Amino acid sequence: MFVTLYGLAHVLIWHVLTAGLGLSQPERLGLGGALAGLGLTPFLARRLDRRGFERLGRVFSWIGYTWAGLVLLFVMARLAADLVLAVSFTLAGVPPAPAARLVSLALTLGLTAVLALYAFIERSRIRVETVDIPTTKDVGPSGVLCIAQVSDVHIGSMNGRRRIETLLKRLRDHDPDVVVSTGDLIDSRAGLAVPVTEVLSALKPRLGKFAVIGNHECYAGLAPSLAFMERCGFIVLRNRAVTVPGLRIVGVDDPVAGRPGESARNEARVLRGLSDGVFTVLLKHRPEVLPGAETRFDLQLSGHTHKGQIFPFGFLTRLYYPAHAGLFRLARASYLYVSRGTGAWGPPFRLLAPPEITLFRVGPGRLDPGGQPAPVASPAPVSAEEAPASTVTAFSDRRS
């Protein structure tokens, strides 16, 4: 489906440019060849990455993924330009002028450039979101715990050492008690070769750094990804819980790491064995809540959606994950927070979905954070106490 839409977008670009510029037949053929070559570069970049050609893969990644992002922005700009011209001619009560195609092309190219510049800048500016989480549970002598979440950093050809150094500076500025990564720290095999283990391992929060695997750790190779994360100083939680002063952290694997249904069974098993009375954070890459599990934790931290990363893809990701971005209220005063992600996947653009580091200040007396009403879990005969083999829980869009 994606490849078909991506190909049709290139056909649209070819048609717009040839019609707007009045190209000759040889020029049309040349343009078609150039567009075909550019369109194939993201796929070639992935192939080079898998074959271990790191430097060449990085070059093709920047060309290919930047181009893929520009294609999307061009299509959006074209629709907007045509709409503006159609409304203008309608209001003026005159038919489209002969030069309308050229005007539309100029508007499209100008708007594409503006959107691309804005989206590139937005990607580079990591926001720090602060969320208060009230609790009656004891979180230690200070009375407040600060948990920093990063997610979907996607270390690789497009997100290298410089970006990680920027991320670490923002984290150090806020001095959290604990740092957690909720999956996709690594983007691909190329990420395993990025020289960031030394700088990441130098970050030593008071209570430690913890991580779970996402789908991209599996794509990059699970064993080398785990070794990379451990060299970076993370304790990787694979279907287990750890307790630090004032806090219990539970981590579960992404479903890609196992057989169908295995992730739900493992999560149910781990949560079933927990005692009450300790503030519990569940780290889970995908924003899915196992029915009944929300009574076994206080806060679930997830990512994966990127909030669509580039508008209007957020509408599509919301179809798969209605708990899509931000804070959601669950049962018994528990919460789900879905990060927009700290890095970017593919194109070096973010449009109306800025990257974030999220700081959670947990303790008695914290202000009510509000939060969106959680989408209602689809009915299923599953709970944290009994999880049959097959279920991956999704949310419906129905509100109670």
Side-chain angles (χ1 to χ4, degrees):
M1 182 60 143
F2 167 77
V3 174
T4 301
L5 293 175
Y6 184 61
L8 289 174
H10 283 75
V11 173
L12 173 65
I13 293 172
W14 179 86
H15 175 74
V16 169
L17 292 177
T18 54
L21 298 175
L23 299 182
S24 64
Q25 186 64 21
E27 290 170 333
R28 291 183 176 209
L29 291 173
L31 176 63
L35 290 174
L38 285 168
L40 289 172
T41 49
F43 305 101
L44 181 57
R46 282 289 175 185
R47 195 163 189 82
L48 289 169
D49 175 38
R50 291 188 185 121
R51 294 293 182 89
F53 296 99
E54 295 164 12
R55 291 187 178 180
L56 191 58
R58 189 176 301 116
V59 171
F60 275 87
S61 291
W62 272 99
I63 295 171
Y65 295 131
T66 301
W67 171 253
L70 289 173
V71 167
L72 173 62
L73 296 175
F74 183 95
V75 172
M76 292 168 51
R78 177 64 181 186
L79 293 173
D82 283 352
L83 180 61
V84 167
L85 287 177
V87 170
S88 299
F89 285 122
T90 300
L91 292 176
V94 296
R101 285 183 174 178
L102 190 56
V103 172
S104 179
L105 176 58
L107 280 174
T108 300
L109 293 174
L111 185 55
T112 300
V114 170
L115 288 173
L117 179 61
Y118 177 86
F120 185 81
I121 293 172
E122 183 174 283
R123 167 190 175 267
S124 68
R125 293 182 175 176
I126 302 174
R127 295 188 185 181
V128 177
E129 308 286 0
T130 302
V131 181
D132 277 0
I133 302 291
T135 181
T136 58
K137 297 176 180 178
D138 181 15
V139 293
S142 68
V144 178
L145 276 178
C146 181
I147 304 168
Q149 177 196 14
V150 298
S151 190
D152 301 273
V153 178
H154 287 282
I155 298 170
S157 298
M158 305 295 290
N159 299 286
R161 181 178 175 117
R162 183 178 300 177
R163 185 167 181 84
I164 299 306
E165 288 173 342
T166 301
L167 165 63
L168 291 176
K169 182 180 183 306
R170 302 301 301 276
L171 285 171
R172 288 194 181 97
D173 287 344
H174 294 275
D175 192 25
D177 297 305
V178 60
V179 173
V180 298
S181 170
T182 48
D184 287 2
L185 180 69
I186 300 162
D187 181 66
S188 62
R189 291 184 186 178
L192 301 172
V194 177
V196 294
T197 54
E198 182 180 345
V199 292
L200 277 169
S201 63
L203 178 69
K204 298 183 186 236
R206 182 173 67 89
L207 299 178
K209 303 200 303 278
F210 301 88
V212 291
I213 60 173
N215 50 308
H216 276 262
E217 276 82 17
C218 299
Y219 301 156
L222 187 52
S225 293
L226 290 170
F228 177 90
M229 296 162 77
E230 289 167 357
R231 288 198 304 274
C232 291
F234 285 96
I235 297 173
V236 183
L237 300 178
R238 301 197 63 198
N239 307 311
R240 66 187 180 101
V242 297
T243 302
V244 296
L247 180 67
R248 178 165 51 211
I249 305 170
V250 182
V252 295
D253 281 357
D254 187 80
V256 173
R259 295 184 296 274
E262 185 176 2
S263 176
R265 291 194 300 274
N266 286 333
E267 180 181 345
R269 173 182 55 78
V270 175
L271 293 176
R272 188 169 55 242
L274 302 180
S275 60
D276 293 330
V278 181
F279 190 90
T280 299
V281 177
L282 173 63
L283 309 182
K284 185 176 182 179
H285 182 55
R286 302 183 193 224
E288 300 167 337
V289 178
L290 195 69
E294 68 271 16
T295 63
R296 307 297 296 167
F297 61 79
D298 299 283
L299 174 64
Q300 177 177 321
L301 302 181
S302 298
H304 188 60
T305 69
H306 294 222
K307 201 186 176 185
Q309 187 165 318
I310 300 175
F311 179 86
F313 276 132
F315 294 110
L316 297 178
T317 54
R318 191 184 292 273
L319 293 176
Y320 287 94
Y321 301 102
H324 173 243
L327 185 69
F328 295 85
R329 287 181 175 275
L330 302 173
R332 288 181 55 181
S334 60
Y335 297 91
L336 163 67
Y337 189 88
V338 185
S339 171
R340 298 186 301 267
T342 313
W345 175 80
F349 302 127
R350 274 185 171 267
L351 184 60
L352 304 183
E356 68 173 298
I357 295 169
T358 320
L359 299 179
F360 300 91
R361 301 194 182 278
V362 179
R366 305 307 295 180
L367 296 175
D368 186 337
Q372 307 165 66
V376 177
S378 302
V382 195
S383 70
E385 284 70 38
E386 49 178 34
S390 62
T391 356
V392 174
T393 303
F395 284 113
S396 73
D397 279 318
R398 183 168 52 87
R399 296 288 189 268
S400 57

